[in-house]
Amino acid sequence: MNRILSVVVNNRSGVLNRITGLFLRRGFNIQSLTVGTSETEGQSRMTIVLDVDDERTAEQVIKQLHKQIDVLKVSDITDLPIVARELVLIRVNSPLQTRSELTALIEPFRASIIDVSRDTVTIQAVGSPEKVDALIFLLHPYGIKELARTGLTAFVRGNDVASEAPRPYRNRVLSI
């Protein structure tokens, strides 16, 4: 089961390494990870898609993320209405006789040809992961030479802001 986490972090060197190291040490499998600057200066937003077995594992991941110093906010947006997109670049065999066919094929996906060589074209598409999968499926018979996907980038739809996943130790007082 895939879980989508939106994580706001301080934009400092080494943060990405610490986050991915956390997943490595705990044995959690990352399906995709995208990072970019956010609307707030000095902060970045990560969209992490995890393949977890159950809810308990997802909670464990969120708890571990909250323990990281540079993690400011963790939101599980899996079950919320979200806007999600992925970018894919696909280099496909394209002799001259199939170019018009390829152009017609990619048009319903609002994909575009961004580079042309003698025997190949490079196609760019942006959309939901299902849309990207469908385009890749249709292009396979032409011979995909190279493919690069960015991974999912997402946040909550509309005016809503994703609520933060509960921090496990927020209300505890340490007794000394």
Side-chain angles (χ1 to χ4, degrees):
M1 139 174 101
N2 283 343
R3 302 298 300 185
I4 304 169
L5 302 178
S6 179
V7 182
V8 177
V9 298
N10 287 322
N11 190 358
R12 293 188 188 155
S13 64
V15 172
L16 180 60
N17 188 32
R18 286 192 292 279
I19 298 291
T20 55
L22 177 150
F23 287 97
L24 174 68
R25 286 189 303 277
R26 303 290 178 182
F28 299 130
N29 186 28
I30 299 174
Q31 291 289 326
S32 75
L33 170 70
T34 58
V35 184
T37 56
S38 72
E39 69 282 0
T40 306
E41 189 173 328
Q43 294 181 1
S44 294
R45 181 179 310 275
M46 294 180 166
T47 303
I48 304 170
V49 180
L50 288 174
D51 181 18
V52 294
D53 296 331
D54 53 32
E55 285 294 322
R56 188 170 172 214
T57 305
E59 290 173 15
Q60 183 67 26
V61 169
I62 292 169
K63 286 178 184 176
Q64 294 298 321
L65 285 169
H66 279 301
K67 290 180 181 178
Q68 299 295 311
I69 291 172
D70 287 312
V71 171
L72 304 173
K73 182 179 177 183
V74 180
S75 304
D76 185 351
I77 61 173
T78 307
D79 298 324
L80 300 175
I82 59 173
V83 177
R85 293 292 181 263
E86 186 175 359
L87 168 72
V88 65
L89 300 176
I90 310 165
R91 183 172 299 132
V92 182
N93 283 327
S94 175
L96 284 176
Q97 57 270 24
T98 63
R99 292 239 168 117
S100 61
E101 187 179 318
L102 267 175
T103 304
L105 181 92
I106 66 172
E107 189 177 311
F109 292 91
R110 296 186 191 149
S112 57
I113 295 174
I114 59 169
D115 187 47
V116 177
S117 70
R118 198 181 85 189
D119 297 324
T120 64
V121 294
T122 301
I123 298 166
Q124 167 189 292
V126 176
S128 67
E130 295 80 18
K131 178 181 169 182
V132 170
D133 288 340
L135 178 62
I136 292 169
F137 178 77
L138 289 175
L139 291 175
H140 261 290
Y142 294 91
I144 293 177
K145 303 283 282 181
E146 195 170 6
L147 187 144
R149 292 176 82 154
T150 61
L152 192 71
T153 296
F155 56 72
V156 176
R157 180 180 291 271
N159 293 330
D160 295 338
V161 175
S163 61
E164 186 172 8
R167 289 181 181 261
Y169 305 110
R170 178 168 269 175
N171 296 326
R172 286 191 176 174
V173 177
L174 293 174
S175 57
I176 300 176

